[in-house]
Each structure stands twice: as C-alpha cells, then as structure tokens.
Amino acid sequence: MKAIRIISTILLCLALFITVVNVIPPKKNIESNPFIVENGALPMIAAHRGGGDNNPENTMLAFREAVNTYRVDIIESDLYLTKDGYLVYNHDGYIDRTSNVNGDISYEEMKELIKDKEKRHYIEDMTLDELRRYNFGYYFENEDGERIYKDESDIESRGLQIATVEMLFEEFYESNPDLLFIVEIKNGGERGYEAARKLASVLEEYPEYKDNIVIGTFHPEIEEHLESEYPNLMRGASTSGAAGFILTQFAGLNIFDNSSFACLQIPLSYDLGIEINLEQKTIINRAHRRNIAVQYWTINDPDDMRYLISIGADGIMTDYPHLLKEVYNEYTK
C-alpha cells in the first residue's frame, strides 16, 4: 500500500507540474510576426519555387505569374552563391536539370548524364554572366506535355534567365511592398557565411523587405551564424529545431523549448521508423502561443489543402498556386 501511495503521489505531482507549465504563458519567440494569419482567415499562399509546376521554377516568369496572376502572399525558394558573389535562386546546387547548359539533349539524356556528379555544372563554379547565358525554361512542360520554352530566343525579356535576389526584390518592391519571402541558404561553411552577408547587404537596399523575409538553412553553423550576426532577421526552424519544438509539444513541455525561430515549416508527417502525423491543430495552437507561424510543405493535393485550412495553418507551400486559389474560391463564394 505504501508503494502505491508513493507512485500515486508521484503521478499526481507530475500531472500537476505539466498542468502548471501549460498554464504559464510562454515567452514569445518574436514580438511581431507577419507570417501569422488572423484567426479564421485562409492560410497564406506560398509559391514553392515560384510555383514550379505552373511555370519554369525559380525564374522571373514564375515569380511574376505567382504574384501578378495568382496573387500569392509568399514567394518561396532556395539561394546559392555564385563564383563571383551573387545570390541566385535555384533548387539544386547545379543547373543541368532545368537549363540547356548541356546543349540540345532530351530530358532522359540529361538525367542519365547528371548521375555522374563530376559532369554537373555547379553554381558555385560559375559567374553570374556565365549562368545568364542559359534558358532555365528549357525542360519545362505545359499540361499537354509540350516543352513550350525549349526554343525561346529572347530568354531575358521572357524572364527565363537565372534570377538574382536583387532582380526579385526590384521587381516587386514598389508594387507589392507587403510581399513575403521564404528563402533557404543552401551553401554551408564559409560560402554560407558569405551568402548570409550578401543577403543582409541586399536587404539594406530594400529596407521594407527586412521584416518580410524568413531565412532557413539545413546547416547548423549557418543557423548559429544567422542567430548571432543577424538577430533582427527572422529565421525558419532548422530540422533539429522543428523536431525539438514538436517533441516538447507532444510532451506538453513547450515552456522548456528555447528556440527563437519565427516560422515552423513542416511536412504533413515525418517518417522516423513510424509515421508521425504533424497536421495537428495542437501543434499550431502551441506555436501560436509563442507567436510562431506554422507553414506546411509541399501541398499539391486539394483535400490536404482543405484540411490545413480547417485546422488553421498559417501558410501552405504549393507547386500549384492556381490550384490552391481554386480551393480558396470554395470558401469565398
């Protein structure tokens, strides 16, 4: 009986402890967060790679269509540093998959060629002038499977050259001052540090966008560098930071999470041997207590979009902005 009383007391104390720590208001990660939507509002539309299935990914053509035609709230993309110190938008560290850098070959031939990593054309080995020679809509196919930009001659005016940070900011700075950006610095080490410095420098030229951008990275050293050297710039959660937040949330101990990110960018689930479902309203509620925005990627299914709307997600990243707009029309009629 004595043992039972001891165990019961321990369990009672533990339950009381968890209750208390969940009642105490946690410290906000950020005081003002433009990536959080009002209660009951539709999630923000984030054009993943600029809407890479509607238009050639990460090109000015895609960015323009996303903003001017689909009226997205957020442009999402990845950043790489060129050989001569420019920041350009591209998903891969090399340009073979989307451009005609290998000449007039088929998509199948290109995929076979780049299996050999030494034959790839890496951004860090090329200058901006070299990169701008190529057509980044070369392999893009429309809904009918036609490569409609394959033979485009005026790639500059069509917006099919590689795009720099400056080009994107300049394009929308006056017309869309409220446009938001999600970027990921893909370089690590010294080049990652230089990429962060370059991005911060460009933002000095476009000060209104300083509070409109959230920066992510998969490199722990770059995350630490951003936090220490650029504390006024918002950061997205790293993989470890997101995992730590979610695990403490599941345990009801978020008060002990010491993260400082502004946005939690997560998929619908993680596979850790067992599948962990992340499309949960409790995660969003916990994040909002810390003034953290919750954004889901990459969502291309209408039913998934509807479910995320129902649980109050702040943002939906999609390759199909037009599809997400069609879903939203169901809620605004």
Side-chain angles (χ1 to χ4, degrees):
M1 291 295 293
K2 183 177 181 182
I4 293 175
R5 286 199 299 271
I6 292 173
I7 293 172
S8 299
T9 301
I10 291 173
L11 291 175
L12 180 62
C13 290
L14 182 61
L16 182 61
F17 172 74
I18 292 175
T19 301
V20 169
V21 299
N22 279 279
V23 170
I24 299 172
K27 179 182 178 182
K28 292 183 178 180
N29 281 27
I30 181 173
E31 197 58 38
S32 177
N33 193 337
F35 290 91
I36 293 181
V37 299
E38 294 181 2
N39 188 34
L42 290 170
M44 295 184 187
I45 300 177
H48 184 247
R49 307 184 195 180
D53 279 294
N54 291 153
N55 289 285
E57 64 181 65
N58 295 312
T59 62
M60 289 304 300
L61 173 59
F63 298 147
R64 288 166 183 158
E65 282 284 297
V67 175
N68 298 328
T69 300
Y70 305 124
R71 315 304 297 179
V72 304
D73 306 286
I74 307 169
I75 293 291
E76 185 278 341
S77 193
D78 305 303
L79 291 174
Y80 286 93
L81 195 69
T82 67
K83 183 178 180 179
D84 52 344
Y86 288 90
L87 278 177
V88 294
Y89 294 100
N90 209 60
H91 180 263
D92 308 321
Y94 52 92
I95 65 170
D96 305 71
R97 184 176 58 83
T98 52
S99 80
N100 59 339
V101 67
N102 292 302
D104 188 15
I105 64 174
S106 70
Y107 188 73
E108 289 70 26
E109 289 173 313
M110 178 274 295
K111 287 197 296 182
E112 190 65 30
L113 180 69
I114 64 173
K115 288 180 180 178
D116 184 347
K117 293 183 179 181
E118 293 187 359
K119 292 183 178 179
R120 297 174 181 176
H121 296 78
Y122 289 94
I123 291 171
E124 65 180 23
D125 297 327
M126 305 175 74
T127 66
L128 180 60
D129 284 344
E130 289 171 332
L131 289 163
R132 287 178 62 77
R133 297 172 189 169
Y134 302 110
N135 176 1
F136 281 78
Y138 187 72
Y139 290 110
F140 177 79
E141 294 183 351
N142 65 8
E143 293 179 351
D144 297 320
E146 301 169 324
R147 289 168 59 185
I148 55 177
Y149 301 114
K150 176 179 179 292
D151 300 315
E152 181 61 53
S153 58
D154 191 0
I155 59 174
E156 182 176 3
S157 65
R158 291 304 301 272
L160 293 171
Q161 291 179 315
I162 201 163
T164 65
V165 166
E166 292 94 335
M167 289 169 63
L168 181 57
F169 288 175
E170 179 64 29
E171 180 80 20
F172 298 112
Y173 193 64
E174 295 296 332
S175 61
N176 296 81
D178 296 327
L179 184 63
L180 301 172
F181 305 89
I182 298 171
V183 298
E184 181 184 330
I185 294 177
K186 297 298 281 279
N187 298 103
E190 292 299 324
R191 292 190 65 78
Y193 300 147
E194 177 59 21
R197 187 205 64 77
K198 176 66 177 179
L199 179 57
S201 176
V202 173
L203 285 168
E204 291 296 330
E205 301 173 28
Y206 301 91
E208 296 300 318
Y209 279 167
K210 277 186 181 182
D211 296 328
N212 291 20
I213 190 168
V214 62
I215 308 166
T217 178
F218 279 107
H219 302 284
E221 76 278 9
I222 306 305
E223 181 184 26
E224 292 174 8
H225 183 72
L226 287 168
E227 185 173 7
S228 63
E229 300 300 319
Y230 307 101
N232 294 326
L233 294 178
M234 287 180 286
R235 290 178 294 103
S238 64
T239 302
S240 60
F245 180 87
I246 290 166
L247 289 174
T248 56
Q249 185 278 137
F250 283 153
L253 299 172
N254 261 177
I255 195 170
F256 297 111
D257 176 74
N258 61 358
S259 63
S260 58
F261 54 81
C263 296
L264 182 65
Q265 296 148 344
I266 51 178
L268 296 178
S269 64
Y270 277 137
D271 187 355
L272 299 175
I274 59 172
E275 187 169 308
I276 300 176
N277 175 27
L278 301 181
E279 46 184 320
Q280 299 186 27
K281 189 170 181 62
T282 53
I283 292 177
I284 296 171
N285 290 343
R286 294 270 184 180
H288 284 177
R289 291 185 73 201
R290 300 280 293 271
N291 214 26
I292 298 169
V294 182
Q295 303 159 332
Y296 286 87
W297 54 265
T298 303
I299 312 302
N300 294 326
D301 179 82
D303 287 336
D304 290 336
M305 294 171 179
R306 294 184 186 100
Y307 184 73
L308 292 176
I309 292 170
S310 74
I311 64 173
D314 294 297
I316 297 176
M317 301 186 210
T318 180
D319 294 313
Y320 298 98
H322 77 290
L323 177 60
L324 186 51
K325 288 288 287 188
E326 290 175 5
V327 170
Y328 280 14
N329 287 339
E330 301 171 11
Y331 295 80
T332 55
K333 290 178 181 178

